[in-house]
Amino acid sequence: MATETKTAPIALTEKALAEVKNIMQEKNVPAEYGLRIGVQGGGCSGMSYLLGFDKVKDTDEVYNLDGLNLIMDKKHAMYVLGMEVDFQDGLNARGFVFNNPQAKSTCGCGSSFSA
């Protein structure tokens, strides 16, 4: 039986991947959980990003990024195709940053966008 390895529609930088793995270890996230990335309605620009730990659902695609299961609802792929998630740890800001080429406009805080 052949196994298919799908290429994830988004990328995580080394810093973001390391931070996610660090959080999973610190918070004792169960092994069957993965990192869910997606979008939802809301935010000041119309849509906001989802980022959290979750179990796989029937409507999901699962991608393996360096040993991390990345979970995404199939319907969300068109909104985040080509997006890069980074992690900043500076004096002025600390947190995940979404660099999304599909976003036509973003809000000042960078956590919501319009497509």
Side-chain angles (χ1 to χ4, degrees):
M1 187 166 133
T3 57
E4 181 187 351
T5 302
K6 298 178 198 134
T7 302
I10 69 158
L12 271 72
T13 64
E14 283 185 32
K15 286 172 94 177
L17 195 57
E19 185 63 18
V20 168
K21 289 179 176 182
N22 187 36
I23 292 169
M24 289 183 83
Q25 188 174 11
E26 281 182 6
K27 303 292 183 191
N28 294 318
V29 175
E32 67 270 17
Y33 279 62
L35 180 67
R36 177 173 297 281
I37 294 185
V39 296
Q40 64 185 8
C44 36
S45 293
M47 298 184 96
S48 59
Y49 298 108
L50 285 171
L51 186 66
F53 301 108
D54 199 2
K55 287 184 178 179
V56 177
K57 297 182 175 84
D58 290 341
T59 57
D60 290 334
E61 289 280 347
V62 180
Y63 308 93
N64 188 301
L65 292 178
D66 194 29
L68 172 73
N69 279 336
L70 178 69
I71 304 168
M72 183 184 307
D73 188 305
K74 294 174 189 172
K75 296 179 296 210
H76 295 189
M78 65 186 256
Y79 297 108
V80 297
L81 186 65
M83 182 171 77
E84 181 185 72
V85 180
D86 194 9
F87 183 77
Q88 289 185 347
D89 190 9
L91 293 173
N92 296 327
R94 177 179 164 83
F96 291 96
V97 178
F98 302 91
N99 300 312
N100 187 353
Q102 303 301 322
K104 288 187 173 59
S105 65
T106 58
C107 67
C109 65
S111 65
S112 74
F113 69 101
S114 66

